[in-house]
Amino acid sequence: MSKVFSVEYPILFSHCDPAGIVYFPRLFDLLHRAMEDWFTFGLEERFADFIMQKGLGIPTVATKVDFVGPARLGDLLRVELRVLKLGRSSVELGIDAFVGEQPCFKARHTVCCFSHRTLKAVPIPEELRDRMEAYVLVSSQHDTATGARGRRT
C-alpha cells in the first residue's frame, strides 16, 4: 500500500470571494502549498533548500483540476497527495481536497525537476526519488481511465 500525504489548511477570509467561497485561483495556491509541504514534511527535503541551495526547481508542466464542491470561510480543507507516475525528471501527482468528507477538487498535477543553472530538465536526485517511491499509487488503485500506474519512464 502506498503512502498518502495529508495536510489540512483553514480557509481564511483572504482565500474567499465576496460570497465567502474560495476563489478558484486561491485553490491553486493551496495545491502548491500542499506540494511544498509534501517535500518538506513528507519527503524530508526542505523545499526552500531544494530551490535555493541545490539550485533545482519543479515548475508545473500540466495541471487538470475538476472543481466539484465549494470550500467556504471557516472550513478546514484537507488535501491529500499521492504520486500517480514517477518519471526520470517528472512527477505526476494526484491531489484531492475535501471539506469534511465532501470533495472540493480533484487534480492531476505534473511537475518536472530542472536546473536553475541550465534551465533544462534534470533527473530527480536519486535519494529524493527513493523517498517519492513510497507515495506511488499501487496498481490496484490506479486510474483505469488513463492506465496511470506510477511506473518509472
Side-chain angles (χ1 to χ4, degrees):
M1 182 137 203
S2 61
K3 285 183 170 182
V4 175
F5 179 76
S6 184
V7 63
E8 293 182 328
Y9 302 116
I11 298 301
L12 306 174
F13 180 78
S14 62
H15 295 135
C16 298
D17 64 16
I21 297 171
V22 176
Y23 182 48
F24 78 93
R26 298 296 294 166
L27 290 172
F28 283 104
D29 287 337
L30 292 167
L31 179 153
H32 186 81
R33 182 176 172 190
M35 186 181 63
E36 285 189 32
D37 285 346
W38 175 56
F39 263 72
T40 300
F41 303 110
L43 300 174
E44 299 177 0
E45 174 78 37
R46 190 168 174 263
F47 191 75
D49 294 344
F50 182 76
I51 303 292
M52 302 304 291
Q53 292 179 7
K54 292 188 175 180
L56 297 173
I58 53 163
T60 299
V61 174
T63 299
K64 180 188 183 310
V65 179
D66 293 320
F67 299 101
V68 294
R72 295 182 170 86
L73 178 62
D75 285 344
L76 189 61
L77 186 73
R78 184 179 80 254
V79 181
E80 296 179 353
L81 179 150
R82 61 190 47 83
V83 174
L84 301 178
K85 185 176 179 183
L86 185 56
R88 182 177 87 70
S89 300
S90 65
V91 182
E92 183 179 2
L93 302 171
I95 304 174
D96 299 327
F98 303 87
V99 173
E101 296 305 312
Q102 297 302 310
C104 180
F105 70 78
K106 295 180 176 294
R108 293 177 76 104
H109 187 69
T110 304
V111 295
C112 79
C113 186
F114 88 104
S115 165
H116 288 181
R117 188 177 54 76
T118 65
L119 300 179
K120 295 187 186 239
V122 296
I124 298 165
E126 203 58 41
E127 67 280 357
L128 183 58
R129 167 184 293 292
D130 291 344
R131 291 188 296 258
M132 286 179 174
E133 285 181 345
Y135 292 90
V136 173
L137 190 64
V138 286
S139 62
S140 65
Q141 301 170 335
H142 81 281
D143 179 6
T144 55
T146 64
R149 292 182 184 260
R151 59 189 174 269
R152 284 188 188 187
T153 58

